Amino acid sequence: MAKPLVLHLLLLLICGSALLSSGSVIHPISDAHRSAATELFVPAADGSFGSLEETYEALRTFQILGVDRSSAKFEGTCKTVSEKLSSPTTTKDLYHALKITAILGCRTESIEFDGITSRLQTAVKDASSLLELYYSLGGLLTVKEQGKDVILSDADGTFQAIKALSQSDGRWRYDKDSTGSSAFAAGIALEALASVVSLAGSDIDQSKIAVVRKDITKLFDRIKRYDDGTLYFDEKNVDPDQYKGPLATSASITSGVTAFAAVSSEKLNIGGEKILGLAKFFLSIGIPGTAKDFFYQINSLASLENNRISIPLVLSLPATVLSLTAKDQLKVEVTTVFGSHAPSLAVSLLKVLTPDSKEVTSFEKKELEYDPENRIHFLDLSPLKIDVGKYSLIFKVSVNDPEGADLYATGDQIIVTAFLTGFIKVDKAEIAVSDSDAASESVQKLDLSKDSLISLSANHLQKLRLSLQLTTPLGHSFKPHQMVVKLRHESKVEHLFVPETSSRQYKLVLNFLGLVEKFYYLSGRYEIELAVGDAVMENSILRSIGSIELDLPEAPEKAAKPPAQPVDPLSRFGPKEEISHIFRAPEKRPPQELSLGFMGLTILPLLAFLIGLLRIGVNFKGFPTSAVPATFAILFHGGIGAVLLLYVLFWLKLDLFTTLKALGFLGVFLLFVGHRTLSYLASTSAKQKTA
């Protein structure tokens, strides 16, 4: 059982590794992200997600993705935020509280925005670090976005204070005392500068803004890239406690640059291919595993979705595995990063490259047709005469409107890996047994499309030959990723062989004389199994083709022994045979009449006792007459009656342990009330004697 399973897994691994080797396929944000958001951000009973910062990140993510965030659902959060805004707190908490209020649309009648504005204005003047300026200015901008009249005092001075922390390479310091600079801090600084421009009562000096635009250009000169055009930012030479990682750093810079571009009167000098490269980086992550990274991804893509530099358009394939047998069409979608419809554009397939980067000569440039109903560009593959295999498809996307070409980033050439699968034809399959000198040969044809099995016999002086041809739908010779022939002895010992290719034919020749030691001199019946697998082969083969009866010589004394075969897990851990229990036959019991008669005899003494009491009479002269002693006496006799009742219940239904437990409590009770009763009787008797 174990060996066939291993072979199955081997074929699956071959196909899977071929599919994964193409790298991650870029797709826009989808419902999978919305579902992941509800799993990563789980609110508490009051609607919060932890701290104010975590709550803001969750609600901002929900806002971008269109997840339900009704104020009724987060009424507790609105109340908590309102209390936070009314009490002394840090500028960071003020910033997040104001953001949450704006996202949820909380009632603001009880919020004193004038007092908050005054506190934030003071915080801007007294700020000694970049983060304090960022949170204070962001809070003021949020207040202004809610319809309040907010003007930043000394906007030029604040702008200059932030700019003073910049470095010559486009990075920023966190404060004046910092010795190192950070790319993550650059994104924060650019967003803070954008807030200053938005809050200024008059226009900021354009020469200062021009200097910042140059800083942004220098910052983008530091961007890193992958071979497929994916771009990202990362920290360099920073303290370990300040290192944020490529995702956080790229997200900070993306938010800062797009925010500054929104307030700049002139367009930033950033190429569209760089904006598209950043979008590909965020999308290539897929679905991050932590809430923080998920927020960074979604918030950054929201900044790119509608920005003043260039809007990235993403080309994706709904299916990267296309069947030539089923005549699948090549379908292409071009959307924004959030899946919104793209403007009118043309998609062309420029080249088709093989895995070794050779161009398919039979292919010429084709422009894909457009289906307006499904908003998909498509191309029929059948007329192109492209064979099965793994290919790199090179596309070109062009916006039809010349005026809109500058608004969108489409990239120069977009490379996507696709697999064309088809039915592989097996020809000239045969198996033969021949003598060592090839003087005679017994050949049998193989039809692998049927379940027929062949039966052969051979000795150690003969050879086994297996040969076949594999042909693609276009008639070309096909070389699969894996072809294995397995011989399994009746003792479960297995041997694997790989056929060799020669002149468009796969051939395996087994000379049994040279294999007797490998076969451990085991004569007998060997099952022959053939496995052919490939990622583009729709009719992969894994089947038994027959058996061969081998007659090998006796093993010498010092010959190697066959290896111990692994124990089948099902035989060790599978269900065992059902055990049939045989119980002891019950002993013979007396007739029911005899048992009832014996029970009557045991009750006779009790009846005699009761009759005697009635005849003789009960003496109540010594029974206490005072209230307290009489109560203890009654309880004592009641306890004795309870013990008798307990015996009856034990006889009828109670088990021994329950009876003993109850008897223990009753015993303690009887000891206490009996002692009090007997003490009273003894005291009364003593008084009578002394009288």
Side-chain angles (χ1 to χ4, degrees), residues 216-527:
I216 294 175
T217 303
K218 295 177 183 178
L219 186 63
F220 270 81
D221 289 340
R222 300 173 49 84
I223 200 167
K224 298 182 179 181
R225 69 175 59 241
Y226 291 111
D227 294 337
D228 62 351
T230 300
L231 304 178
Y232 68 98
F233 290 95
D234 199 5
E235 296 282 18
K236 183 180 180 181
N237 300 328
V238 297
D239 295 334
D241 58 336
Q242 293 183 348
Y243 181 75
K244 301 295 183 180
L247 177 56
T249 305
S250 302
S252 175
I253 294 176
T254 300
S255 299
V257 169
T258 54
F260 193 82
V263 299
S264 177
S265 58
E266 297 182 16
K267 187 175 181 179
L268 298 183
N269 186 23
I270 301 176
E273 73 282 353
K274 294 183 178 180
I275 299 298
L276 181 60
L278 283 172
K280 292 176 65 176
F281 170 73
F282 292 121
L283 291 174
S284 65
I285 297 172
I287 298 179
T290 65
K292 194 75 172 180
D293 289 347
F294 195 89
F295 167 75
Y296 281 143
Q297 180 197 45
I298 299 301
N299 192 56
S300 303
L301 290 173
S303 301
L304 296 175
E305 175 76 359
N306 188 14
N307 68 86
R308 290 188 56 191
I309 306 171
S310 56
I311 300 173
L313 296 180
V314 179
L315 182 145
S316 61
L317 271 63
T320 56
V321 179
L322 307 173
S323 172
L324 297 178
T325 306
K327 297 183 179 180
D328 290 342
Q329 292 180 326
L330 173 63
K331 296 181 180 180
V332 173
E333 291 180 333
V334 181
T335 63
T336 65
V337 292
F338 278 92
S340 299
H341 301 313
S344 176
L345 45 81
V347 179
S348 300
L349 181 58
L350 303 181
K351 297 178 182 179
V352 178
L353 303 180
T354 60
D356 54 359
S357 299
K358 293 182 179 180
E359 187 173 348
V360 177
T361 56
S362 61
F363 175 78
E364 297 180 355
K365 175 183 175 182
K366 296 287 183 181
E367 182 173 338
L368 278 67
E369 299 181 44
Y370 182 63
D371 179 4
E373 182 177 353
N374 297 313
R375 297 183 180 274
I376 288 179
H377 299 262
F378 65 93
L379 178 67
D380 289 328
L381 296 174
S382 300
L384 302 181
K385 299 301 180 182
I386 302 178
D387 216 340
V388 297
K390 174 186 174 184
Y391 297 98
S392 295
L393 309 180
I394 302 179
F395 294 94
K396 173 69 176 178
V397 178
S398 304
V399 178
N400 292 329
D401 184 6
E403 296 181 358
D406 294 336
L407 299 177
Y408 297 94
T410 59
D412 184 18
Q413 292 184 350
I414 304 170
I415 303 176
V416 180
T417 300
F419 291 82
L420 302 186
T421 66
F423 189 88
I424 303 302
K425 186 179 180 182
V426 182
D427 292 323
K428 299 181 180 179
E430 59 184 27
I431 190 169
V433 174
S434 62
D435 295 333
S436 58
D437 56 1
S440 62
E441 186 177 48
S442 174
V443 180
Q444 293 192 38
K445 301 292 184 181
L446 293 176
D447 188 352
L448 299 180
S449 62
K450 299 180 180 179
D451 294 332
S452 58
L453 299 175
I454 55 95
S455 180
L456 303 171
S457 61
N459 57 41
H460 66 288
L461 299 177
Q462 293 179 309
K463 297 179 181 180
L464 175 69
R465 177 178 62 83
L466 172 66
S467 61
L468 54 87
Q469 287 184 354
L470 299 177
T471 309
T472 66
L474 296 185
H476 301 136
S477 178
F478 180 72
K479 183 179 181 180
H481 284 141
Q482 193 74 30
M483 180 182 292
V484 177
V485 176
K486 179 171 68 176
L487 269 67
R488 181 173 62 247
H489 189 254
E490 52 196 1
S491 63
K492 306 302 181 183
V493 178
E494 296 181 351
H495 306 280
L496 301 180
F497 302 94
V498 179
E500 297 180 353
T501 178
S502 175
S503 63
R504 298 169 57 91
Q505 188 179 52
Y506 284 90
K507 180 185 291 187
L508 174 68
V509 178
L510 299 180
N511 186 353
F512 294 120
L513 182 61
L515 294 173
V516 290
E517 291 185 1
K518 184 176 180 178
F519 281 28
Y520 305 105
Y521 297 91
L522 292 176
S523 300
R525 186 170 179 269
Y526 285 79
E527 292 286 341

Side-chain angles (χ1 to χ4, degrees), residues 451-453 488 527-530 542-547:
D451 294 332
S452 58
L453 299 175
R488 181 173 62 247
E527 292 286 341
I528 305 174
E529 189 172 281
L530 175 65
L542 179 59
R543 54 158 296 182
S544 174
I545 59 177
S547 63

